[in-house]
Amino acid sequence: MSCRRSEDLSQPTTSRFVESIATTVRGQSDSADVEAVVLRAVAQRSDSIDLPDILELRSLLNVDGEQTDTLEEQVTTIISAVDAELAGWDCREACA
């Protein structure tokens, strides 16, 4: 795992980030993979997350998007799960 800074996802711009991702998903086909779009956006936003990290995150995330009412809520849920997972990675790196 490379060095990460999970606080990037907790900044006040998160609502704009969520809306940007939701707009991207809406612009794609009905079969858009919301989790993949969110992970791609997180990787583009971060200087410290690379492709192996994204692939690992994808395998670790356990998000049930069907439990949300709106696309924005689904995106927010995925971002929260990514943020929590990255916080765990930061903790493990600090303890190592």
Side-chain angles (χ1 to χ4, degrees):
M1 283 179 256
S2 63
C3 181
R4 299 159 199 58
R5 304 220 28 115
S6 59
E7 68 272 4
D8 291 345
L9 301 178
S10 302
Q11 293 177 347
T13 58
T14 300
S15 63
R16 285 180 281 188
F17 186 52
V18 167
E19 185 56 41
S20 172
I21 294 170
T23 300
T24 300
V25 171
R26 284 187 191 102
Q28 296 180 357
S29 68
D30 290 337
S31 63
D33 183 345
V34 179
E35 195 171 289
V37 174
V38 171
L39 288 170
R40 188 177 318 117
V42 167
Q44 290 171 345
R45 186 174 180 178
S46 173
D47 294 332
S48 59
I49 299 175
D50 54 19
L51 182 59
D53 295 330
I54 291 299
L55 295 174
E56 185 173 352
L57 276 170
R58 177 72 185 222
S59 70
L60 295 173
L61 289 181
N62 186 17
V63 177
D64 186 5
E66 302 301 318
Q67 299 296 327
T68 58
D69 292 328
T70 67
L71 179 59
E72 285 79 6
E73 289 174 351
Q74 184 177 4
V75 170
T76 300
T77 300
I78 295 168
I79 289 173
S80 295
V82 168
D83 196 32
E85 188 63 43
L86 291 178
W89 287 1
D90 289 341
C91 180
R92 284 192 299 255
E93 287 177 357
C95 295

